[in-house]
Amino acid sequence: MGAAHSASEEVRELEGKTGFSSDQIEQLHRRFKQLSGDQPTIRKENFNNVPDLELNPIRSKIVRAFFDNRNLRKGPSGLADEINFEDFLTIMSYFRPIDTTLGEEQVELSRKEKLKFLFHMYDSDSDGRITLEEYRNEPDQVYEGITFEDFLKIWQGIDIETKMHIRFLNMETIALCH
């Protein structure tokens, strides 16, 4: 009974850290084991067999975001070589639908966290700016870079809640960015 008690305690702790329900954590744990090949950690190459990412034009940015220390809340820069299940949940929590029953301030904080994750996908050198070279979508524009505040202004009014989420429908669940 002691092991079962500590396991449920661990799940409650993960619920508090990530906002996922115990059922969602269980589903994500199965997905983690599937991706890792039943290993305790995932490496970048484990994402090579994810069908939803194969044809995604920003595949490398998405995979890199899973290992970015800023997104893992482990530091202002750098990349992890591998991530464990708790790290995986931390990253997947960025894709969790925003609970609109929360107060306006909490909803805005969740939205800002999602946008920060997206910003980090493009700010590959962790300098707090997305340069033209990092972004490469508007080659005719000349500017020194986009700060996070500029990035927030660009995304203002866009419904990030429906663009960045997780589908909990089957075992093929993986983060989707539309």
Side-chain angles (χ1 to χ4, degrees):
M1 181 166 155
H5 177 69
S6 72
S8 64
E9 198 173 295
E10 186 178 340
V11 169
R12 277 195 303 279
E13 186 178 315
L14 291 173
E15 286 173 346
K17 285 182 178 178
T18 65
F20 287 122
S21 70
S22 60
D23 287 344
Q24 290 169 327
I25 290 171
E26 188 178 314
Q27 286 180 327
L28 288 168
H29 190 255
R30 285 195 299 268
R31 183 61 173 151
F32 177 85
K33 286 171 57 175
Q34 191 179 45
L35 279 170
S36 71
D38 256 349
Q39 297 300 308
T41 60
I42 292 177
R43 301 182 67 79
K44 288 181 188 120
E45 53 269 14
N46 292 112
F47 285 90
N48 291 338
N49 300 321
V50 176
D52 288 342
L53 289 177
E54 280 181 38
L55 301 176
N56 193 313
I58 61 167
R59 177 193 178 285
S60 63
K61 289 185 183 309
I62 293 169
V63 172
R64 186 182 179 285
F66 271 77
F67 297 87
D68 188 318
N69 284 332
R70 296 170 296 175
N71 296 334
L72 293 167
R73 301 176 184 138
K74 292 186 174 181
S77 64
L79 297 172
D81 292 328
E82 55 190 20
I83 58 173
N84 61 26
F85 180 60
E86 187 173 335
D87 295 333
F88 180 74
L89 281 181
T90 297
I91 296 300
M92 296 304 283
S93 71
Y94 289 103
F95 297 90
R96 187 174 46 81
I98 294 175
D99 182 356
T100 55
T101 64
L102 298 173
E104 192 176 316
E105 193 175 304
Q106 196 62 34
V107 168
E108 188 56 35
L109 182 63
S110 293
R111 177 180 162 73
K112 196 170 184 175
E113 285 297 310
K114 285 177 179 283
L115 289 171
K116 192 171 280 192
F117 178 90
L118 289 175
F119 183 83
H120 292 161
M121 283 177 58
Y122 288 94
D123 179 24
S124 57
D125 63 4
S126 303
D127 70 350
R129 290 189 179 275
I130 299 172
T131 63
L132 181 59
E133 204 172 290
E134 289 169 320
Y135 188 65
R136 292 184 188 225
N137 277 354
E138 299 177 50
D140 295 337
Q141 286 189 339
V142 177
Y143 57 88
E144 291 184 19
I146 300 172
T147 65
F148 182 61
E149 294 308 314
D150 295 332
F151 191 76
L152 283 175
K153 287 176 192 168
I154 291 167
W155 281 84
Q156 190 172 11
I158 296 175
D159 186 12
I160 192 71
E161 294 75 25
T162 59
K163 303 287 184 202
M164 189 174 169
H165 64 279
I166 297 174
R167 293 182 189 162
F168 284 100
L169 300 177
N170 60 38
M171 278 301 292
E172 299 305 313
T173 303
I174 191 68
L176 301 174
C177 283
H178 300 147

